[in-house]
Amino acid sequence: MMMLQQLRGASAKGLRAGDALAAADGRRGLADMAQRSGLQARVAVVLGAQWGDEGKGKLADVLQERFDFGVRFGGGANAGHTLVIDGKKFAFHLLPCGLVQEHTINVLGNGCVVHVPAIFDELEPLTEAGIDTKGRLKVSDRAHLLFDFHKQVDGLLEQGRGGNKLGTTKQGIGPAYSSKMTRNGVRAGMLKEPWEEFEKVYTALAEAHERMYDVEVDKVAELEKLKGMRQKMLDEDMITDTTYLLNKAYMDGKNILAEGANACMLDIDHGTYPFVTSSSTTVGGVCTGMGLSPDKVDCSIGVVKAYTTRVGTGPFPTELTDDLAGGDLPRGAPGTEIGAYLQKVGGEIGVTTGRKRRCGWFDAALMQYSVMINNYSSINITKLDCLDELDEIKIGVAYKSKSTGERLPAGFMPSTISGLYDVEVVYETLPGWKTSIAEARTFEELPSNAQAYLNRIEELLQVPISWIGVGPGRNQMATKGFKA
């Protein structure tokens, strides 16, 4: 823990661990904590801190009311945010969820891979709901385009892995980033060139994929589809230099909210490789994916569930399987295993994939690693209400090696799959609160046992909690250490 505290204390923003906890306890000014919660930031970042699906969209939506720009800086249509607004659900996969706020300009940054049909598929429900999006969506001319043949290849590659599948969403994300890195990809800016020029670069890339992967691409059909959509994008001046746009907006005093896709443990470099996505999902990807320099970022908020989930395959140290959920672990409901109970009460089904998410206890050891990489200004705990009925709640406070019995230092994460499967979790057990927290709007209104649970998480992570999700609704959010 000492190393984690030292790393936190080295922040260029001066957000030292002890100061952060003092702010969370109310011993610092409200303005200080409001800054760390994103309410007074010029540029704020909302990042997934676990394996994704933490509920980032809800916080982004809450904060977006105070921001002029909403930006996606990486990934593609493999992400999933669900917003509940006046009882109506909006599912976002590619587009920034700030589009529901009609005062905002929304940006797909240069770090994204963009499937053009997905843009219009996601805009349609907003239009049907009476939300005017015209002129409010900007696509970076440096963002790479994701084509239907990228999806074809993604599916073939996953199928070819046999029993070693990665759990990809098959949305073509990896193959699209591969095209980018092999430098034969097609940027969105090419759609502004004469159509004949776009046809040439598209055809060259499609034919390269046909040769490499032995697939047949219906180039005529995709080009015909893209031609009509291209015209709509040009008519609305959708494709532009967003690097210049965002930097000019910053210089003009505008506020910018960057919205992460996926999460820290799915980062191509720092995640549980190879069970990861193909983009930089951590704080380092924010600046490269938007074109803003690091000094402009005021705060990064890590969004984390009050428990842990993971979709697809890959290591999951605190997972509650049927075997683990029996025996000496507490029951979530009569005759129901804890993992299955959390899956049911939390509605743990992927927005993009429809796959059920695996569930487990809160993993503080994983989060200490996430904190070390991202140096979160504060934490948003989501779905705390899903623990309302549990008699007891466990926290994974540390890892130790099964093979050596040694406890791993805080912030250390094995880099190999075999190393991750060698991890054994050290748990602490806390009493549940056995009552609904749905009406709480401040930390002080939570039951004492819920407060104790959150305080223990703060102590383990050395990061203040700012926002607390107490229900699925847009306004079901409690605050800690400041007034919203």
Side-chain angles (χ1 to χ4, degrees):
M1 181 67 75
M2 180 60 69
M3 180 181 177
L4 190 66
Q5 289 174 330
Q6 290 170 342
L7 288 168
R8 290 281 302 159
S11 165
K13 297 289 184 183
L15 302 182
R16 300 183 186 278
D19 292 342
L21 289 179
D25 291 336
R27 293 191 292 272
R28 296 284 299 273
L30 295 180
D32 180 73
M33 194 57 202
Q35 167 79 357
R36 300 177 191 207
S37 70
L39 291 181
Q40 294 183 2
R42 285 283 310 286
V43 179
V45 180
V46 175
L47 295 172
Q50 297 161 304
W51 273 295
D53 310 306
E54 299 94 349
K56 300 179 289 293
K58 182 176 175 179
L59 179 62
D61 180 48
V62 168
L63 291 176
Q64 193 68 68
E65 293 182 3
R66 299 170 184 256
F67 285 81
D68 305 299
F69 283 76
V71 186
R72 274 281 304 274
F73 62 84
N78 58 331
H81 292 332
T82 301
L83 302 185
V84 182
I85 300 173
D86 297 329
K88 184 174 177 60
K89 286 187 178 182
F90 294 94
F92 291 88
H93 305 277
L94 173 63
L95 301 184
C97 59
L99 278 162
V100 300
Q101 305 276 358
E102 294 196 24
H103 71 279
T104 62
I105 301 297
N106 294 266
V107 173
L108 290 176
N110 58 275
C112 296
V113 285
V114 179
H115 187 236
V116 173
I119 290 177
F120 294 98
D121 287 345
E122 290 185 43
L123 287 176
E124 187 175 351
L126 296 170
T127 302
E128 291 175 352
I131 298 172
D132 184 11
T133 62
K134 190 172 183 179
R136 295 199 300 112
L137 176 62
K138 302 297 180 182
V139 179
S140 171
D141 53 10
R142 292 178 172 87
H144 277 251
L145 295 179
L146 185 155
F147 298 110
D148 289 345
F149 57 77
H150 286 128
K151 293 187 177 187
Q152 280 180 266
V153 168
D154 203 358
L156 285 172
L157 291 174
E158 184 74 344
Q159 184 179 352
R161 294 183 181 105
N164 298 312
K165 289 181 171 58
L166 299 180
T168 173
T169 60
K170 301 178 184 177
Q171 295 298 310
I173 308 303
Y177 276 113
S178 294
S179 296
K180 177 178 179 176
M181 293 306 176
T182 53
R183 293 171 290 183
N184 63 348
V186 180
R187 284 175 159 185
M190 284 300 299
L191 287 168
K192 299 178 75 172
E193 299 290 324
W195 179 249
E196 294 76 16
E197 294 301 315
F198 178 81
E199 277 187 310
K200 287 179 185 177
V201 293
Y202 167 87
T203 301
L205 184 60
E207 289 177 349
H209 279 69
E210 288 178 320
R211 291 191 300 271
M212 285 188 292
Y213 300 104
D214 193 24
V215 296
E216 184 176 341
V217 176
D218 191 342
K219 298 183 283 293
V220 173
E222 185 163 23
L223 280 169
E224 186 62 29
K225 182 169 57 175
L226 286 170
K227 192 172 186 179
M229 293 179 180
R230 165 186 177 266
Q231 193 57 52
K232 292 180 182 178
M233 296 175 81
L234 296 180
D235 290 344
E236 294 193 20
D237 193 26
M238 196 178 286
I239 304 167
T240 191
D241 185 341
T242 60
T243 300
Y244 177 79
L245 175 71
L246 291 172
N247 277 279
K248 185 177 186 304
Y250 182 87
M251 297 304 292
D252 290 344
K254 303 296 185 183
N255 300 325
I256 300 167
L257 180 66
E259 175 186 328
N262 308 118
C264 177
M265 300 309 295
L266 295 175
D267 185 88
I268 186 66
D269 291 299
H270 302 293
T272 48
Y273 188 90
F275 301 98
V276 293
T277 191
S278 300
S279 58
S280 296
T281 60
T282 47
V283 71
V286 174
C287 298
T288 58
M290 291 168 55
L292 284 181
S293 58
D295 60 296
K296 294 183 176 70
V297 179
D298 295 311
C299 76
S300 61
I301 305 170
V303 184
V304 55
K305 276 180 185 162
Y307 48 102
T308 309
T309 63
R310 173 161 203 168
V311 70
T313 52
F316 186 172
T318 65
E319 182 176 13
L320 287 162
T321 64
D322 289 342
D323 291 334
L324 288 174
D328 64 344
L329 293 184
R331 300 280 174 162
T336 306
E337 307 293 6
I338 294 288
Y341 173 75
L342 289 174
Q343 190 179 79
K344 180 179 179 181
V345 74
E348 298 298 351
I349 299 175
V351 176
T352 300
T353 62
R355 294 178 294 181
K356 290 184 177 179
R357 300 179 189 125
R358 301 149 65 192
C359 298
W361 297 119
F362 186 89
D363 191 335
L366 176 151
M367 278 301 303
Q368 287 168 347
Y369 173 71
S370 184
V371 166
M372 181 180 70
I373 291 170
N374 294 286
N375 196 31
Y376 303 116
S377 307
S378 69
I379 294 288
N380 169 206
I381 297 279
T382 65
K383 293 193 171 184
L384 185 65
D385 56 299
C386 293
L387 307 181
D388 282 354
E389 297 303 317
L390 298 182
D391 297 321
E392 293 179 335
I393 303 166
K394 288 181 180 285
I395 297 178
V397 297
Y399 291 159
K400 66 178 181 181
S401 169
K402 293 176 185 176
S403 55
T404 67
E406 293 182 358
R407 189 160 169 152
L408 304 182
F412 180 83
M413 180 68 61
S415 65
T416 64
I417 297 302
S418 59
L420 284 161
Y421 281 124
D422 183 54
V423 158
E424 182 180 340
V425 183
V426 178
Y427 287 101
E428 287 181 5
T429 302
L430 283 75
W433 43 93
K434 302 291 289 181
T435 188
S436 173
I437 61 172
E439 300 303 317
R441 294 297 177 266
T442 66
F443 173 80
E444 290 73 22
E445 293 173 4
L446 293 170
S448 59
N449 284 352
Q451 292 184 24
Y453 181 69
L454 296 177
N455 284 337
R456 182 57 179 143
I457 289 174
E458 277 190 337
E459 183 181 8
L460 288 163
L461 305 188
Q462 293 290 292
V463 184
I465 292 170
S466 52
W467 302 93
I468 304 158
V470 295
R474 189 181 199 180
N475 299 318
Q476 287 185 287
M477 192 86 89
T479 61
K480 186 176 190 294
F482 70 101
K483 295 179 181 178

